[in-house]
Amino acid sequence: MAIQRPKGTQDHLPDGSPKLGLDTRAAAFQFIRETARRVLERAGAQQIDTPIFEDAEVIKRGVGGSTDIVRKEMFTVYYFGDHGGFILRPEATAGVVRAYLQNGLKQLPAPLKLWLHGPMFRAENVQKGRLRQFHQVDYEVLGSTDPLVDAETISLLVDVVRALGLKQVKVKLGSIGDPEDREAYNAYLRDLFTPHVDRLSDDGRARLERNPMRILDGKAPGDQELIAELGVKPMLAFLGEAARAHFEQVRAHLDAWDVAYDIDPSIVRGLDYYRRTAWELHHEGVGAKSALCGGGRYDGLAQELGSKDPVPGIGWAFGMERLLLAMEADGVVIPESDGPLLYVAALDDSNVGYAATVAMTARQVARTEFAYKAMKPGNVFRDAERRRARFVALIGSDEVEQDTLTVKNLATGQQTTVPTRDLLAFLKGQLALTPTPLENA
Ligand code: HAM
């Protein structure tokens, strides 16, 4: 068998491909990116792009040494003369904050809203909705601790998923407090779990040592049983005064805007940089365990990356593949991409070059394709239909001599004779009558 793609990766394919799923359709990814761009840029976000690999320190210090990502899931980059000092990015936030610091983006008006889309890499156990290369849309706001920013950030996420047509989504909102609140909570969990350490899984034990809070997020069924048995108090019960007041204000803004959410008192995110507001977006059709989106505030991250001054930040990211599974479950239909407006073909070999010239001129106005070989009329129409063309221009010697084109509308069968010099005006007229998304772009 020919060489296969690596496990946990997917090809994104053109429409018409056999075995096409929504989550492997290139046009579906394009639809998500463009929808997100429209909603986020209307709110003042600008696109940023950062490298797909970063210095290992950015990822290790940014994402945090107690996380599964850093402990077990990093793709290390080796190349000649280097010994693994770089990591394929498992997420975007650490790289964005690194870029903010390195490029002096503090000079820009605050709060600075940034967004990006692109591939992320985690060496996970592969299952449905859990890939090794997946794609995120990521949104970050830097330079403000204002709870109004938290609420706006969550509200924008809801706007994006609604614009994508999702219905059964739920925001689960919590707060993981300030570092001292988290320390108090971790101390409480350490005291609670230590007497039962032998009942914890290996993973649970490692978590108890490094960051007890992460036990709550563990997947081993035995650990979950123990958690239920011990009646563990949630993180929210440990919020200090400042974090609690901040959280109340975030909620008040969301309530005022009618942004629906459920309080999840025990929310534990899988990355170390979070502080205060944290949330996930879940979808009933995709299963409770896997979030479509995760986000939160990360006011200490810039300092972890070596900044002298704190740079408060907050943001979220969703996985496009998971979102597509949810869209499929909600019956969202993403329209087929358009075929060409015009398909040009020559009836004789001597006119193929002329047909190509006509087609290339028509591209000033709309998508146009041409036949690379002379064809009989019946074959031209069959070919044009397969390509989903709207109009066909057949070129024979008469057309070349008279400088005219016979243009046929494939839907109605109507034929129009168009002087060649008027072709662009004719096509513009057709577009104005029935614009298509591609040609309107
Ligand atoms: P995260 O929760 O690790 O957060 O990932 C966000 C989303 O990426 C998940 O909800 C999921 O949809 C998708 N995702 C994660 N891992 C996989 C995978 N292996 N396969 C498919 N999809 C996956 C972050 O990445 C943070 N950087 C979010 C953030 C931005 N927080 C603040 N700013």
Side-chain angles (χ1 to χ4, degrees), residues 3 24 41 57 81 89 138 158 170 271 289 294 299-300 341 356 361 396 398 423 440:
I3 298 171
T24 54
E41 292 188 353
E57 286 303 304
R89 65 179 181 194
D138 179 275
V158 174
K170 278 225 157 78
L271 301 105
K289 268 272 158 213
D299 297 344
L341 183 66
T361 307
D398 286 355
L423 178 63
N440 264 350

Side-chain angles (χ1 to χ4, degrees), residues 175-436:
S175 171
I176 48 183
D178 285 314
E180 55 278 16
D181 308 337
R182 215 152 128 177
E183 245 168 61
Y185 189 50
N186 271 333
Y188 156 77
L189 292 175
R190 208 169 274 124
D191 289 348
L192 193 67
F193 282 100
T194 302
H196 308 280
V197 65
D198 42 337
R199 285 185 57 195
L200 282 172
S201 64
D202 287 350
D203 196 43
R205 244 172 272 153
R207 288 171 189 224
L208 179 62
E209 217 165 89
R210 289 189 181 83
N211 185 0
M213 218 173 130
R214 305 256 326 118
I215 299 176
L216 306 181
D217 202 26
K219 293 181 187 79
D223 294 2
Q224 288 303 329
E225 255 167 50
L226 183 62
I227 291 164
E229 222 176 283
L230 292 176
V232 179
K233 287 191 217 160
M235 176 67 231
L236 269 188
F238 284 75
L239 291 193
E241 217 167 282
R244 179 171 305 280
H246 189 269
F247 189 52
E248 293 307 324
Q249 289 179 59
V250 175
R251 291 187 57 183
H253 290 304
L254 290 173
D255 293 342
W257 301 334
D258 276 335
V259 176
Y261 60 88
D262 291 337
I263 292 291
D264 184 343
S266 54
I267 198 151
V268 183
R269 299 277 298 121
L271 301 105
D272 282 354
Y273 50 60
Y274 290 114
R275 285 186 190 182
R276 297 197 171 185
T277 320
W279 67 91
E280 286 179 350
L281 191 82
H282 287 258
H283 185 275
E284 284 159 22
V286 176
K289 268 272 158 213
S290 49
L292 294 188
C293 175
R297 184 164 271 294
Y298 49 83
D299 297 344
L301 175 54
Q303 283 159 306
E304 289 292 339
L305 298 181
S307 169
K308 277 205 283 337
D309 304 317
V311 179
I314 182 167
W316 48 254
F318 61 72
M320 293 197 229
E321 288 83 356
R322 277 199 205 159
L323 218 66
L324 284 166
L325 292 175
M327 286 163 76
E328 212 162 29
D330 269 356
V332 177
V333 176
I334 299 176
E336 287 240 324
S337 43
D338 295 309
L341 183 66
L342 181 66
Y343 186 59
V344 190
L347 299 169
D348 333 278
D349 288 343
S350 58
N351 292 323
V352 171
Y354 183 83
T357 311
V358 168
M360 288 194 275
T361 307
R363 285 174 187 167
Q364 291 173 36
V365 172
R367 178 168 154 196
T368 306
E369 293 175 22
F370 63 89
Y372 291 82
K373 285 196 170 57
M375 284 202 268
K376 294 202 174 78
N379 291 342
V380 173
F381 290 120
R382 202 167 315 127
D383 206 28
E385 263 163 33
R386 276 192 62 207
R387 292 163 195 270
R388 288 177 289 115
R390 279 167 59 189
F391 290 90
V392 171
L394 276 182
I395 297 185
S397 298
D398 286 355
E399 278 82 6
V400 179
E401 259 164 43
Q402 291 161 16
D403 250 346
T404 57
L405 297 164
T406 309
V407 182
K408 183 170 174 178
N409 181 329
L410 284 182
T412 63
Q414 192 189 13
Q415 261 182 212
T416 317
T417 304
V418 182
T420 310
R421 64 173 182 285
D422 293 342
L423 178 63
L424 297 188
F426 171 81
L427 294 175
K428 276 186 197 157
Q430 294 303 327
L431 283 179
L433 283 177
T434 41
T436 59

Side-chain angles (χ1 to χ4, degrees), residues 91 93 122 124 129 131 136 140 269 273-274 291-293 315 317 319:
E91 60 102 52
T93 314
R122 299 183 192 178
E124 302 213 53
L131 296 159
Q136 283 185 344
E140 310 288 354
R269 299 277 298 121
Y273 50 60
Y274 290 114
L292 294 188
C293 175

